[in-house]
C-alpha cells in the first residue's frame, strides 16, 4: 500500500533525483553508507536514477571549523535538492548539542517540515517484546501497524523561554495554524490510505494551552466524516500502546509527545534499529532520517542495525513518487529478517555489513 504523504513530491519519471547526504555522527555514517547501495540497487532496478551528494556536516566538521550548517549549504538544500538523507546528529564531544539544533532541528524548522511521519510496523512476529494471550514471548501473532504524525515545527522544541534566577522557564508554542495543519495531514493520510480511525493525543487536562488541540481536532474531524476521531491523554495512550497496539492506526500529537511515543512505538516492533521517519512539507524536498540517534557506544564497531536507514530510504523513494522500489526494499528487509539475519540489537550476530549484504541479495 502506498505510504505517500500528500502529493508525491518532485515526481518526474525520467529525472535524476538529487539526494543530499548528511551522514552525521556516531553510527550515522555506518548505517547511511550501508543503506545507500541497497537503495541505489532498488531504485536502479525500477529505472529510478538518484544522484547522491555527500555533505560533511556533523560534530567532526563543527569541532574542526566551528560551522554547524552554513547558510550557503542551507540554501542549496532548500533550492537545489530533492531529498535530504540524514544519519544521526549527536556526539558526546558536543554536550550542548548545538550542532543538532542547527542541522537537524534547523532544517525541520527553516524548511517548515511540519509533518514528522513515523510508521510503526512489525516486520517479523518475533521482533515484538509483547506476547499474545496464551503464547510466550517471541511467539506473537500480533499485527502492529500504525503511523505517528508528529508535529515538527512548534512545541517546546522551539527553545523559547528564559531563566529567572533559579527558575528555568520553557515555553510551549501551540498555534492554531500549526495544530490544524498536522491534524489535517493525519486525517488526509488516513482517508487516502483506507484507515478508519485517527487518535489525537494531548494533555489538555493539565496543560491549558492544549485546548487548541481539542478545538482544531473537533473542527478537522467534522470535515472527515467516516473516520473515527478519538482522543487519548498521552499518559493513557502510552499505556494502551503497550497493551493493545493493534487497535491504533494513525496517531497525531505534538512535537515532544511524538518524539517520546515514536521511541515507544519502535520498542513495540523490535527497537530503534527498525524505525524510519520522514520530515515533510508536501510539495517540498523532505528530510529522511532513521528515528534512532548516533548510539555513541556502538559507533565504529560495525554492529549498528542498518534496517532503519534502509526503510528510511523506502520512505524517501515513495515520497519521490516511486512506490515500487520502496516496496521492494521493504520486502527484502522482511525476507532478511525471516531468514534470521539480524544484528545484535535484534538478538542476532550479524554485523552491519552482513545485514546489508543479505538485504541487497534479495533485491
Ligand atoms: P540512540 O537512538 O542513539 O540510542 C538509544 C538506544 O538504541 C541505544 O541502546 C542504542 O545502542 C540503540 N540503537 C539506536 N540505533 C540503533 C541501531 N541502528 N542499531 C542498533 N542499536 C541502536 O539514542 P540516545 O542514546 O538517547 O542518543 C545518542 C545521541 O544521538 C544523542 O546525542 C542524541 O541527542 C542523538 N540523537 C539524534 C537523533 C537524530 O539525529 N535523528 C535521534 C535521536 C538521538
Ligand atoms: C528525534 C531525535 C531528536 C528530536 C533530537 C536528536 C533533537 O530524538 O529525531 O527523534 O528530539 O526530535
Ligand atoms: Mn527521538
Amino acid at each position: 500500500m502506498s505510504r505517500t504523504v500528500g502529493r508525491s513530491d518532485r515526481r518526474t519519471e525520467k529525472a535524476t533525483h538529487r539526494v543530499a547526504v548528511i551522514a552525521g555522527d556516531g553510527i550515522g555514517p555506518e548505517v547511511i553508507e550501508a543503506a545507500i547501495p541497497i537503495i541505489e540497487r532498488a531504485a536502479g532496478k525500477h529505472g529510478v536514477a538518484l544522484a547522491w551528494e555527500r555533505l560533511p556536516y556533523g560534530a567532526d566538521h563543527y569541532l574542526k571549523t566551528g560551522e554547524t550548517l552554513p547558510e550557503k549549504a542551507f540554501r542549496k538544500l532548500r533550492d537545489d535538492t530533492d531529498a535530504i538523507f540524514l544519519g544521526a546528529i549527536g556526539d558526546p564531544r558536543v554536550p550542548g548539542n548545538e550542532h543538532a539544533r542547527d542541522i537537524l532541528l534547523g532544517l525541520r524548522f527553516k524548511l517548515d517540515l511540519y509533518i514528522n511521519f513515523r510508521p510503526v510496523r512489525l516486520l517479523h512476529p518475533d521482533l515484538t517484546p509483547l506476547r499474545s494471550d496464551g503464547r510466550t514471548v517471541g511467539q506473537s501473532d500480533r499485527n502492529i501497524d500504525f503511523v505517528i504524525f508528529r508535529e515538527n515545527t512548534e512545541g517546546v522544541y522551539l527553545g523559547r523561554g528564559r531563566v529567572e534566577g533559579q527558575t528555568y522557564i520553557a515555553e510551549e508554542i501551540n498555534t492554531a495554524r500549526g495544530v490544524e495543519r498536522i491534524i489535517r495531514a493525519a486525517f488526509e493520510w488516513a482517508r487516502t490510505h483506507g484507515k478508519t480511525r485517527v487518535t489525537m493525543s494531548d494533555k489538555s487536562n493539565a496543560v491549558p494551552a492544549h485546548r487548541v488541540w481539542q478545538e482544531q481536532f473537533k473542527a478537522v474531524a467534522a470535515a472527515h466524516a467516516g473516520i473515527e476521531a478519538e482522543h487519548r491523554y498521552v499518559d493513557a495512550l502510552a499505556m494502551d500502546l503497550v497493551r493493545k497496539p493493534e487497535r491504533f492506526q494513525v496517531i497525531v500529537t505534538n512535537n515532544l509527545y511524538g518524539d517520546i511515543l515514536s521511541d515507544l512505538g519502535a520498542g513495540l516492533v523490535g527497537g530503534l534499529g527498525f524505525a524510519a521517519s520522514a520530515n515533510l512539507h508536501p510539495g517540498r524536498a523532505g528530510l529522511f532520517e532513521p528515528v534512532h540517534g548516533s548510539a555513541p557506544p556502538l559507533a565504529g564497531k560495525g554492529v549498528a542495525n542498518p534496517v532503519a536507514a534502509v526503510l528510511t530510504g523506502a520512505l524517501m523513494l515513495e515520497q519521490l513518487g516511486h512506490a515500487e522500489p520502496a516496496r521492494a526494499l521493504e520486502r527484502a528487509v522482511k525476507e532478511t529478517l525471516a531468514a534470521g539475519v539480524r544484528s545484535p540489537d535484534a538478538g542476532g550476530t550479524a554485523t552491519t555489513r552482513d545485514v546489508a549484504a543479505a538485504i541487497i541479495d534479495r533485491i
Side-chain angles (χ1 to χ4, degrees), residues 151-218:
E151 202 293 321
N152 216 25
T153 56
E154 299 193 341
V156 285
Y157 275 75
L158 286 181
R160 291 200 203 162
R162 60 200 180 279
V163 178
E164 290 175 3
Q166 289 299 302
T167 303
Y168 293 66
I169 301 169
E171 294 174 344
E172 190 193 278
I173 310 300
N174 299 267
T175 70
R177 172 180 169 270
V179 171
E180 193 269 348
R181 67 180 179 172
I182 187 67
I183 293 175
R184 185 157 35 85
F187 272 96
E188 283 302 302
W189 189 86
R191 188 176 61 77
T192 52
H193 292 80
K195 304 294 180 186
T196 55
R197 177 185 293 142
V198 172
T199 307
M200 186 277 278
S201 192
D202 64 13
K203 194 62 194 167
S204 51
N205 52 349
V207 182
H210 287 188
R211 199 180 77 206
V212 68
W213 283 84
Q214 296 286 327
E215 291 169 358
Q216 296 304 320
F217 188 55
K218 281 196 186 77

Side-chain angles (χ1 to χ4, degrees), residues 118 150 259 263 291:
R118 297 188 151 185
R150 167 185 176 189
D259 178 50
D263 275 30
V291 173

Side-chain angles (χ1 to χ4, degrees), residues 118 120 148 150 241 256-272 275 290-293:
R118 297 188 151 185
V120 175
I148 297 173
R150 167 185 176 189
L241 277 174
L256 180 61
Y257 302 163
D259 178 50
I260 297 166
L261 294 175
S262 54
D263 275 30
L264 193 162
L268 296 173
V269 296
L272 284 164
V291 173
H292 67 70

